[in-house]
Amino acid sequence: MPHHDQYAFTVPIADDGHWYLFNGESMLFAEVTQDVHDHVVLAKAGVDVAPSPRVEHLNALHFFQGPDHRVATQGAGVGMVLEEAYLLLTDRCNLACRYCFNGSDLPLIRGKVMSPSVLEAAVRFLAHAAHPERGLRLILWGGEPLLDYRTLHMALTCATQAFRTANKPLTFATTTNAIALDARVAETLVEFNVVVNFSLDGTPDSHNLYRTHRDGRPSHADTMRGVHTYLDVQRRRAPTMLPRARMTVTHDSASRFYENVVSLWAAGIPYVWAKDVAWQPDGHPAMLDDSDIPVLEEQYRLLRMHILRAMAHGDAERVLPQLVADLGALHRRERRKGSCGAGHGNVSITTSGDIIACYHLEGSDAFRLGHVDQATECLECIRQMRTTVDDDEVCRSCEYKYLCGGGCAAKGIGKGLGARSCWVGQCKFIKVSLMHLLRLYGSVMSGAGGARLAPLLRRPDRLPRAVVSGESGA
């Protein structure tokens, strides 16, 4: 049992004089009373206080007593009420990324594009199945979703009209390699308030390792050209609608993780989401292995030091969007009992109009829910995918399961483990990032910037915007 002098800071439980002591380095949680909290404050201030009593260590699960992060609801349309959906506008892609889950040989010319009739039926279905109050987050997906401007624009206009008619909220997002992102596309994305995620892996050296054109040419310069085109329009017309980067971490780039994140911040992308490579066979050169875990731990340590220096030297604005996005759920003590909600609160619609549990599972009849023209219930699929960390044998005993949510069920299926099993490679990568977040939370909140950050973290925003006048928007 540790002395509470070891703990970094305290978090109020409620207005009843009880606090959580939290040590960001060893991830220990303990529930204490006001007098112990006062003792910690005095000790940290350098006051000579008497030795403190020991406190009982509590499992981290006790810390996560806030609201559930995502609540799956039962209702109309394929057995659920939808809050998120992926609309696959095209199967085409203009790159040949060697770690892509679709493979590196997606067609550029002969690939499918969603027809107008399928698109109209898809948005009608989504408007009907969307949650009546919370509405839907519609993610425009591919292939490369910006390749066909006519289809992109039609999706935005049709969905906007359908949800206006249904009187339900609608937000848009997309993920793009940005190569087709010219001024017309940028203006359209900003006009419809589309949150843009750039597939961008950091510096040119890291990015070009696996993200190449079909003839093998590097793609970083072309991607950055599109990024800058978008940022010019976004900063002028929608300065609070911040983009983010979807950065893939490979075995080759793990040792440059810190450098890659900072380079993306410097490029004007204030929020970076790191993901691993999962859709390749064991032994693929891009796949992380056990030797990368201590490397990533050190890279995350360097990133924390960078953030703390920025907070200490008056440069907090540069890192606040990342902190708000990364630490909000932790600060609100939300229980993340499941991951994305695939198959019950979240579906994907293919270019041909098939409704599937997840775009990763396209082609599997077991996870097909129907078609936009005739949606049917696939209750066995829904039962399999509606899995929580309390159901899974591996996750159930994990102290940090409510911070994680159990990872991607589709990755477990892809590895032949089933929807109720977390793939061990994914688990290791997630745990490294979670330990980073816990240590970062302890370090930031115990410092001078903690008081300013706390009000921003209380807001349940899923996608961060700029921090303007001390406020953060969704």
Side-chain angles (χ1 to χ4, degrees):
M1 292 183 295
H3 286 287
H4 65 67
D5 299 17
Q6 296 173 287
Y7 288 80
F9 74 112
T10 55
V11 178
I13 297 174
D15 297 326
D16 60 0
H18 283 75
W19 300 74
Y20 271 113
L21 287 175
F22 181 83
N23 180 339
E25 281 303 314
S26 57
M27 281 69 71
L28 297 175
F29 296 79
E31 184 175 343
V32 295
T33 53
Q34 180 74 42
D35 59 331
V36 179
H37 160 71
D38 294 340
H39 187 286
V40 172
V41 172
L42 291 172
K44 286 181 62 178
V47 177
D48 186 16
V49 293
S52 62
R54 292 176 180 270
V55 294
E56 290 286 347
H57 165 57
L58 290 182
N59 188 290
L61 296 177
H62 290 274
F63 184 77
F64 296 99
Q65 297 299 318
D68 288 346
H69 175 73
R70 187 192 296 268
V71 181
T73 52
Q74 193 79 17
V78 297
M80 83 295 290
V81 174
L82 298 178
E83 295 190 42
E84 189 169 81
Y86 287 79
L87 193 62
L88 279 65
L89 300 182
T90 178
D91 293 334
R92 297 176 181 175
C93 190
N94 47 5
L95 291 182
C97 303
R98 292 188 292 124
Y99 54 45
C100 181
F101 68 90
N102 278 322
S104 59
D105 57 350
L106 287 183
L108 177 61
I109 303 300
R110 291 188 297 275
K112 294 179 181 177
V113 176
M114 184 174 284
S115 69
S117 60
V118 169
L119 201 160
E120 289 173 352
V123 297
R124 282 198 303 270
F125 161 75
L126 293 173
H128 170 72
H131 193 283
E133 286 84 34
R134 294 193 287 271
L136 185 80
R137 179 173 176 245
L138 182 58
I139 302 168
L140 307 176
W141 201 251
E144 168 49 49
L146 306 188
L147 268 182
D148 192 289
Y149 178 78
R150 180 183 63 84
T151 305
L152 170 70
H153 190 267
M154 182 178 178
L156 293 168
T157 53
C158 285
T160 299
Q161 181 58 50
F163 275 76
R164 184 178 294 128
T165 301
N167 195 28
K168 294 181 181 180
L170 173 67
T171 58
F172 293 109
T174 193
T175 295
T176 174
N177 61 38
I179 294 174
L181 209 167
D182 57 20
R184 179 177 65 164
V185 174
E187 293 283 353
T188 299
L189 295 175
V190 170
E191 176 187 352
F192 285 91
N193 296 313
V194 180
V195 176
V196 178
N197 301 264
F198 294 115
S199 295
L200 189 55
D201 292 350
T203 65
D205 287 345
S206 293
H207 180 92
N208 291 330
L209 279 170
Y210 292 95
R211 300 188 61 81
T212 62
H213 286 278
R214 307 173 76 80
D215 59 3
R217 290 180 295 114
S219 66
H220 185 270
D222 297 320
T223 290
M224 289 308 301
R225 189 177 302 112
V227 170
H228 291 144
T229 297
Y230 173 79
L231 290 176
D232 287 345
V233 175
Q234 174 260 323
R235 288 165 177 164
R236 172 169 47 84
R237 292 188 53 190
T240 64
M241 181 66 74
L242 299 182
R244 65 181 185 176
R246 183 182 173 102
M247 186 182 84
T248 300
V249 183
T250 67
H251 175 70
D252 307 88
S253 66
S255 61
R256 288 174 279 183
F257 179 89
Y258 161 66
E259 177 188 5
N260 288 330
V261 173
V262 173
S263 75
L264 292 172
W265 289 346
I269 306 173
Y271 174 48
V272 180
W273 172 38
K275 57 186 287 290
D276 61 337
V277 177
W279 301 99
Q280 300 297 334
D282 293 341
H284 188 281
M287 296 276 285
L288 297 173
D289 59 35
D290 287 350
S291 69
D292 295 314
I293 301 305
V295 173
L296 286 171
E297 289 175 347
E298 172 61 14
Q299 291 293 303
Y300 272 119
R301 186 191 68 82
L302 295 173
L303 190 62
R304 287 194 300 280
M305 296 303 101
H306 181 97
I307 291 171
L308 293 174
R309 284 195 299 271
M311 298 285 287
H313 295 115
D315 200 15
E317 292 292 333
R318 185 163 50 87
V319 296
L320 276 178
Q322 185 81 42
L323 292 175
V324 169
D326 282 348
L327 303 181
L330 173 59
H331 185 72
R332 295 187 296 273
R333 299 164 61 203
E334 291 180 3
R335 291 172 301 219
R336 190 184 296 266
K337 290 187 174 183
S339 51
C340 68
H344 50 95
N346 174 349
V347 298
S348 297
I349 300 178
T350 70
T351 54
S352 59
D354 284 335
I355 304 169
I356 55 178
C358 171
Y359 59 86
H360 284 305
L361 303 174
E362 185 175 2
S364 172
D365 289 341
F367 297 96
R368 182 179 182 273
L369 303 176
H371 191 272
V372 291
D373 286 332
Q374 188 178 9
T376 59
E377 292 189 358
C378 179
L379 297 180
E380 174 59 21
C381 167
I382 295 169
R383 185 190 66 79
Q384 287 189 61
M385 300 300 286
R386 186 175 278 143
T387 302
T388 73
V389 289
D390 295 324
D391 301 323
D392 186 85
E393 292 183 7
V394 176
C395 297
R396 190 181 300 140
S397 60
C398 178
E399 188 169 357
Y400 305 103
K401 62 183 181 181
Y402 292 145
L403 183 57
C404 167
C408 174
K411 290 181 180 179
I413 295 169
K415 293 295 179 179
L417 302 174
R420 293 181 179 272
S421 297
C422 182
W423 172 51
V424 65
Q426 176 188 203
C427 183
K428 291 178 180 179
F429 179 75
I430 291 174
K431 281 186 176 178
V432 171
S433 65
L434 294 185
M435 294 306 100
H436 158 69
L437 293 183
L438 289 166
R439 290 169 176 146
L440 178 63
Y441 183 59
S443 299
V444 170
M445 297 303 291
S446 63
R452 180 190 177 192
L453 185 61
L456 304 179
L457 297 181
R458 294 191 190 110
R459 298 182 55 171
D461 299 329
R462 286 197 298 181
L463 292 172
R465 292 192 184 184
V467 178
V468 181
S469 302
E471 294 187 357
S472 172

